[in-house]
Amino acid sequence: NNNNNNNIVNRPNIGGNRPGLGNNNNINIGNDINIGNQIGGNQIGNRFPNRPNWDVDPGFSRPGWGLNGNNWNNNWHNNCINNRHNWYNGCWHGYWGSNWYAPVAWGAVGWGLNSMTSGWATSTSYYNPYYAEPAVAQAMPYDYSQPVVINNYVSSDADAQGGEAQSQANPEQEKALVAFDEGLAKFKAGDYVQALSQFNTALKNLPSDAVVHEVRSLALFAVGDYKAAAAGLNSLLSAAPGMDWTTMSGLYGNPDDYPAQLGKLEEFARANPNDPSAHFVLAYHYMVIGSKDAAIDALRVVVKNQPKDVTARRMLDAMAPPEAPTAATPNSVTPAPAAGALAPETDLTGAWVAQSGETKIEFSIGEDSQFSWKATTPGQAPVELKGQLNTASDGIELETTDQGTMAGSVTSKGPDGWQFAISGAPASDPGLSFARVK
């Protein structure tokens, strides 16, 4: 972690005389280095071809730092995209890569925190307003009432240098991959109905393949079934990024087809100005092609007409964050600090332990900000990770070579305890309470 202010003095702390995290003798805490630099977002004259990364601002404004978009993009591609999909160029980054909307469920599960995320898909934390239970059993290839559970293709025996170890497909999955490839060929040829049929067949045996879900939703968009497309996209985007424009445009054999299909959706949305499903699909496509302001407008229609759509709300808050309150709410119980008082301070260096359901997390941090993480759940192989701890004024991120980066906010509980809340987790989630190992 580079620190241009030569502020690498002592060990990483939280608390003290900075708001939230940090004091004057910490490692890169509160010194927003390389934060908020615009590395994309350039507009070009034509509407679709060769679109650049849209409005890339990894740090965003809430909090003042974030995961580097390109780094996350690579981690997503290397960990969650089956290498059979060698045509897949990349996914959303920038805003996606920042901690406001990282695929929390996938990251937490990859870190051995399955027990923590098991309650996140309840009706109180996720609701798909566009999914309807089919009248005929087996009529739908997937239950979109819950977030898509994304497969992690990097196995536990991946080499320590970050090498990839793709899981082997069983015979049924292999047949499904063949059906999916046949569907891609039909899609490129403009036979969207037959392509959709092939994607439905593939999805039954590839339920954790994010690419299959997204391309199936693209076929539904192509045939004009916007509500079904919204159902699939809403479930997917609660746990995964969308593809970038280079990836999507490569799926079309006739370059005129996509603008025509998007035009039909825009026309439908104008004729149905309060239809949340159409506007959700519209927002997704605007994000793919880089039209941020249009995506914001579409998402505002969604949250106004479908307030239960938590995925749309998260997306909108990320791109157009609500203004921070200027005064404490009447029911606020947070006491004002005494004049000159310091927040509790925690020296993060050392050994820590936390419990999440049946999972025990052993976490150690060195003075050089290198960490080791071990999550042990009865009946499962331990998840052991090592990497770099990065800190900012109000959170930390844990960066590894093979499981991506997990970020979150931290709260000091004094010298021997602190609370870690994974970014993007539901407000009701208590997070992890770490206690110092004596």
Side-chain angles (χ1 to χ4, degrees), residues 67 71-72 74-76 78-79 106-107 110-111 152 154 371 385-388 397-407:
L67 312 186
N71 181 49
W72 169 249
N74 292 334
N75 284 328
W76 172 261
N78 294 339
N79 288 267
W106 173 85
W111 287 60
N152 174 20
V154 177
F371 73 84
L385 302 167
K386 293 183 179 181
Q388 170 76 34
E397 60 181 10
L398 309 176
E399 183 177 4
T400 74
T401 58
D402 58 356
Q403 282 293 77
T405 302
M406 182 166 65

Side-chain angles (χ1 to χ4, degrees), residues 25-68:
N25 295 317
N26 54 39
I27 296 181
N28 210 30
I29 296 178
N31 300 311
D32 298 329
I33 304 301
N34 295 325
I35 300 303
N37 295 323
Q38 290 286 338
I39 58 175
N42 298 320
Q43 297 300 311
I44 58 177
N46 54 340
R47 187 175 185 190
F48 299 124
N50 303 315
R51 289 302 294 242
N53 301 330
W54 64 280
D55 200 18
V56 179
D57 182 1
F60 200 53
S61 58
R62 201 193 58 200
W65 59 276
L67 312 186
N68 180 275

